[in-house]
């Protein structure tokens, strides 16, 4: 009966209904494709618009100072002599130190949560770490200025100054006086701020490791350290790199927390305890006070430099990920 029913010709109503359904599906699929394409183009247009606006706003300063804008430390609104070297230095140093501190701690927390932590404690500790990402940056800044900076000034900075006194290189990096605020303080605050991002993403990618791989490694006698080093991290290195880049992007663009604790001094010092500034902190502090066209253009040029730095770092990270994927595939 089934064969006979299948061989019977379809009625005209059924054929028309199926043709209408096919046309409807084709229309919705085409509409969906065009909407997603338009969304992608919109993102590129917004990115291009931001870049063009920054270039147009920064052009008076770039044309007035030329390449010396990138190599000059002086920042004097009175004489209208501006240079971006000090904010660039502060941005790169604070972000670099923050990542160097946050990455190993974040990976260590993730290893503890996924491999070592008792199951009843995993969820509370994981939620506590993720809650750090929800704290507003101005709260970090206030806490850093009134609690963390005095602690560093009273205990840690004098200790490091005495510890490394007379040691080549380190005596310059940890030279006094202990202000409490400065490059190192802002870097530590940034490390605390980016830690939950790195930890959360790393934990998510660690959870994607097939259990059979870890069980097989434990079965042949591997320790937790060996499983983490030789199985988990190689399997998830692309995701870990993505989390690190997300944290680095957050550190590069952080404004309020850094503004509170960095000291806002347009100068470069070898000491990590000395006050400094970053690109975002300089813009936040001075944009409302910029009363001249060249002054305003110089601040916009700082924004353009931060845009370029972030773009280059993320592009380099993407290129690195592509090489890792290609090497893994081969």
């Amino acid at each position: 009966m089934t064969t006979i029913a299948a061989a019977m010709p379809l009625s005209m109503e059924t054929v028309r209904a199926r043709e209408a359904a096919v046309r409807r599906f084709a229309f919705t699929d085409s509409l969906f494709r065009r909407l997603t394409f338009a969304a992608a183009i919109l993102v590129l247009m917004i990115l291009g618009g931001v870049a063009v606006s920054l270039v147009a706003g920064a052009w008076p300063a770039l044309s007035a100072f030329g390449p010396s804008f990138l190599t000059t430390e002086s920042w004097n609104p009175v004489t209208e002599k501006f240079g971006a070297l000090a904010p660039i230095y502060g941005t790169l140093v604070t972000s670099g130190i923050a990542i160097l501190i946050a990455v190993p701690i974040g990976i260590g927390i993730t290893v503890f949560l996924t491999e070592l932590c008792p199951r009843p404690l995993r969820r509370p500790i994981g939620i506590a770490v993720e809650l750090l990402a929800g704290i507003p940056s101005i709260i970090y800044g206030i806490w850093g200025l009134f609690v963390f900076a005095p602690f560093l000034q009273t205990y840690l900075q004098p200790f490091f100054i005495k510890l490394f006194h007379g040691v080549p290189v380190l005596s310059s990096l940890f030279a006094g006086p202990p202000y409490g605020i400065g490059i190192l303080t802002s870097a530590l605050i940034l490390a605390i701020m980016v830690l939950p991002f790195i930890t959360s993403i790393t934990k998510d990618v660690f959870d994607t490791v097939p259990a059979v791989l870890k069980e097989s490694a434990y079965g042949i006698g591997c320790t937790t350290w060996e499983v983490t080093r030789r199985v988990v991290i190689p399997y998830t290195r692309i995701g870990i790199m993505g989390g690190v880049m997300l944290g680095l992007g957050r550190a590069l663009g952080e404004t309020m927390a850094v503004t509170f604790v960095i000291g806002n001094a347009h100068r470069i010092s070898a000491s990590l305890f000395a006050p400094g500034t970053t690109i975002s902190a300089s813009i936040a502090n001075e944009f409302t006070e910029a009363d001249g066209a060249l002054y305003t253009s110089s601040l916009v040029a700082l924004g353009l430099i931060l845009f370029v730095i972030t773009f280059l770092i993320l592009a380099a990270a993407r290129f690195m990920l592509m090489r890792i994927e290609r090497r893994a595939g081969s």
Side-chain angles (χ1 to χ4, degrees):
M1 293 295 294
T2 304
T3 305
I4 296 175
M8 293 179 62
L10 299 175
S11 63
M12 292 300 298
E13 291 79 5
T14 303
V15 172
R16 292 193 183 96
R18 292 189 176 182
E19 290 178 350
V22 170
R23 287 194 298 269
R24 185 171 63 254
F25 292 152
F27 172 76
T28 55
D29 184 67
S30 176
L31 179 62
F32 177 74
R33 186 185 301 110
R34 293 178 181 179
L35 287 176
T36 53
F37 178 75
I41 295 299
L42 180 62
V43 171
L44 295 178
M45 292 176 61
I46 294 174
L47 184 62
V50 171
V52 170
S53 299
L54 288 175
V55 171
W59 185 250
L62 297 179
S63 59
F65 301 112
S68 64
F69 185 75
L70 300 175
T71 59
T72 303
E73 182 181 348
S74 174
W75 187 274
N76 194 333
V78 177
T79 60
E80 292 193 331
K81 299 295 183 181
F82 301 104
L85 185 59
I88 293 174
Y89 170 81
T91 300
L92 296 179
V93 171
T94 54
S95 300
I97 295 175
I99 291 299
L100 289 177
I101 295 174
V103 169
I105 295 178
I107 294 178
I109 294 174
T110 303
V111 173
F112 175 75
L113 290 176
T114 57
E115 303 294 334
L116 302 173
C117 182
R119 189 169 296 276
L121 295 179
R122 288 184 182 180
R123 189 171 183 83
I125 295 177
I127 293 175
V129 172
E130 293 177 356
L131 284 177
L132 291 175
I135 299 177
S137 60
I138 194 171
I139 303 300
Y140 281 108
I142 294 173
W143 173 78
L145 180 62
F146 292 106
V147 178
F148 193 56
F151 173 78
L152 292 178
Q153 183 183 23
T154 305
Y155 299 104
L156 290 186
Q157 290 185 354
F159 170 76
F160 282 115
I161 292 172
K162 293 180 181 179
L163 178 65
F164 296 117
H165 179 70
V167 180
V169 181
L170 293 180
S171 60
S172 299
L173 290 177
F174 299 96
Y179 294 107
I181 59 176
I183 295 289
L184 183 60
T185 305
S186 61
L188 294 174
I189 295 294
L190 285 177
I192 297 173
M193 295 182 67
V194 304
L195 180 62
F197 295 94
I198 297 174
T199 303
S200 298
I201 295 178
T202 306
K203 181 179 180 300
D204 290 340
V205 297
F206 273 24
D207 289 337
T208 64
V209 179
V212 65
L213 294 181
K214 296 190 289 186
E215 292 172 357
S216 300
Y218 284 121
I220 62 175
C222 292
T223 62
T224 302
W225 162 247
E226 291 173 330
V227 171
T228 303
R229 179 187 174 189
R230 301 184 181 276
V231 177
V232 177
I233 292 180
Y235 189 88
T236 60
R237 57 181 178 269
I238 295 178
I240 295 174
M241 184 65 69
V244 172
M245 289 302 104
L246 178 62
L248 180 58
R250 172 70 188 274
L252 287 170
E254 178 54 42
T255 303
M256 293 309 301
V258 173
T259 304
F260 272 86
V261 298
I262 199 170
N264 302 307
H266 281 272
R267 63 174 180 267
I268 297 176
S269 175
S271 176
L272 297 178
F273 296 155
T277 188
T278 63
I279 294 176
S280 56
S282 297
I283 296 173
N285 279 325
E286 303 184 30
F287 205 87
T288 57
E289 302 175 359
D291 55 357
L294 191 59
Y295 192 3
T296 303
S297 179
S298 299
L299 292 174
V300 176
L302 288 180
L304 176 62
I305 293 172
L306 181 60
F307 180 86
V308 172
I309 290 174
T310 306
F311 178 81
L312 291 178
I313 290 177
L314 295 181
R318 185 58 187 169
F319 177 74
M320 188 184 304
L321 292 178
M322 290 174 61
R323 291 193 60 183
I324 292 175
E325 292 177 350
R326 191 180 300 114
R327 190 181 302 118
S330 61

